[in-house]
């Protein structure tokens, strides 16, 4: 997945930096995450920062942000934006930061794109200070396990294969003339819960935001979660 996202970095930046292309981000995913997000308290790590869109949101809210991504082009795009996000090139499963350096880790729509998700969650816990929080958003595991059978609002939704087995969940979209491949992996909810458990993080809140209209009012598009390091 790392190689896939490096190949898609410039397409991703073109897609995400144009208002109205990523409606799910603008209307559902980001608003839900912001409702779980603590205020600034020490340093904030933007885990899987991509081209920097979440980092720019965090900076606008007063957070002191450091981003990290495994794709070199993503990091260059983040630091060279007109609102630059400080970011480093590194594997989320081997973070180049000292223990307990951050008060908050934000993993916004990124953990499902990481080859070693449990190790990345473990590293997030390591760099969190005690009382610090991990706030994350992922495509809902029900969503990534299946698809609607048509585009109308009452179309049936079907699981393709097995919900319980992890597997590739690549998706190709074409919006506003930008074709983009999402390189992702479906994992059941238990995989994320076990990763948090192994890392010693305690779940405080889970949200399944509902779309304002259409078929995604029946199936959760994303899952938002906040966990604390005791």
């Amino acid at each position: 997945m790392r190689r896939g996202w490096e190949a898609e970095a410039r397409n991703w930046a073109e897609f995400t930096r144009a208002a109205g292309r990523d409606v799910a981000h603008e209307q559902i995913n980001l608003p839900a995450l912001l409702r779980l997000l603590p205020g600034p308290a020490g340093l904030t790590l933007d885990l899987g920062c991509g081209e920097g869109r979440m980092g720019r949101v965090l900076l606008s809210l007063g957070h002191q942000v450091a981003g990290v991504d495994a794709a070199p082009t993503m990091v260059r795009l983040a630091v060279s934006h007109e609102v630059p996000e400080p970011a480093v090139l590194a594997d989320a499963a081997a973070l180049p930061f000292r223990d307990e350096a951050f008060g908050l880790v934000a993993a916004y729509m990124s953990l499902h794109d990481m080859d070693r998700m449990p190790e990345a969650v473990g590293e997030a816990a390591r760099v969190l200070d005690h009382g610090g929080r991990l706030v994350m958003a992922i495509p809902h595991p029900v969503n990534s396990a299946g698809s609607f059978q048509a585009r109308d609002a009452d179309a049936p939704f079907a699981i393709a294969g097995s919900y319980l087995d992890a597997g590739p969940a690549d998706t190709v979209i074409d919006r506003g003339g930008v074709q983009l491949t999402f390189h992702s992996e479906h994992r059941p909810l238990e995989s994320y819960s076990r990763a948090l458990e192994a890392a010693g993080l305690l779940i405080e809140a889970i949200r399944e935001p509902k779309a304002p209209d259409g078929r995604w009012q029946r199936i959760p598009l994303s899952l938002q979660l906040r966990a604390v390091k005791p």
Side-chain angles (χ1 to χ4, degrees), residues 1-64:
M1 288 186 285
R2 179 191 310 193
R3 291 191 298 271
W5 277 109
E6 170 61 16
E8 292 289 343
R10 297 198 180 278
N11 288 337
W12 172 247
E14 186 177 356
F15 169 74
T16 195
R17 291 179 178 180
R21 277 192 179 140
D22 195 347
V23 176
H25 161 72
E26 295 171 3
Q27 297 185 7
I28 305 170
N29 297 335
L30 182 61
L33 189 84
L34 293 180
R35 288 191 287 270
L36 290 180
L37 195 70
L43 298 175
T44 294
L45 178 62
D46 183 8
L47 188 68
C49 66
E51 58 75 54
R53 72 174 176 182
M54 187 63 197
R56 294 190 292 274
V57 172
L58 292 166
L59 287 166
S60 75
L61 296 173
H63 291 260
Q64 293 180 284

Side-chain angles (χ1 to χ4, degrees), residues 110-135:
S110 60
L111 287 172
H112 58 291
D113 297 334
M114 295 181 184
D115 296 298
R116 296 194 289 161
M117 180 274 293
E119 291 87 345
V121 172
E123 279 290 272
R126 179 185 65 79
V127 303
L128 271 176
D129 198 2
H130 293 280
R133 284 166 171 81
L134 167 67
V135 178

Side-chain angles (χ1 to χ4, degrees), residues 39-116:
L43 298 175
T44 294
L45 178 62
D46 183 8
L47 188 68
C49 66
E51 58 75 54
R53 72 174 176 182
M54 187 63 197
R56 294 190 292 274
V57 172
L58 292 166
L59 287 166
S60 75
L61 296 173
H63 291 260
Q64 293 180 284
V65 180
V68 62
D69 204 279
T73 302
M74 292 288 195
V75 173
R76 285 194 293 270
L77 289 164
V79 302
S80 63
H81 190 271
E82 61 184 16
V83 181
E85 175 184 7
V88 297
L89 178 66
D91 188 342
L95 292 173
F97 304 112
R98 62 175 175 82
D99 294 357
E100 301 171 13
F102 295 91
L104 172 67
V105 174
Y108 178 66
M109 303 304 286
S110 60
L111 287 172
H112 58 291
D113 297 334
M114 295 181 184
D115 296 298
R116 296 194 289 161

Side-chain angles (χ1 to χ4, degrees), residues 10 14 25 40 66-67 92 95 101 104 120 128 151 161 165 187 195-196 203 210 222:
R10 297 198 180 278
E14 186 177 356
H25 161 72
L95 292 173
L104 172 67
L128 271 176
R151 299 195 64 84
D165 295 329
R187 301 178 179 106
L196 294 165
I203 295 173
K210 181 185 289 189
S222 64

Side-chain angles (χ1 to χ4, degrees), residues 146-158 215-216 218-219:
S147 62
F148 287 100
Q149 303 305 289
R151 299 195 64 84
D152 49 290
D154 58 354
F157 184 91
R215 56 189 179 176
W216 290 108
R218 298 185 288 113
I219 299 293

Side-chain angles (χ1 to χ4, degrees), residues 160-179:
S162 170
Y163 166 85
L164 294 173
D165 295 329
D170 292 1
T171 305
V172 179
I173 65 167
D174 192 331
R175 305 252 179 89
V178 178
Q179 189 174 84

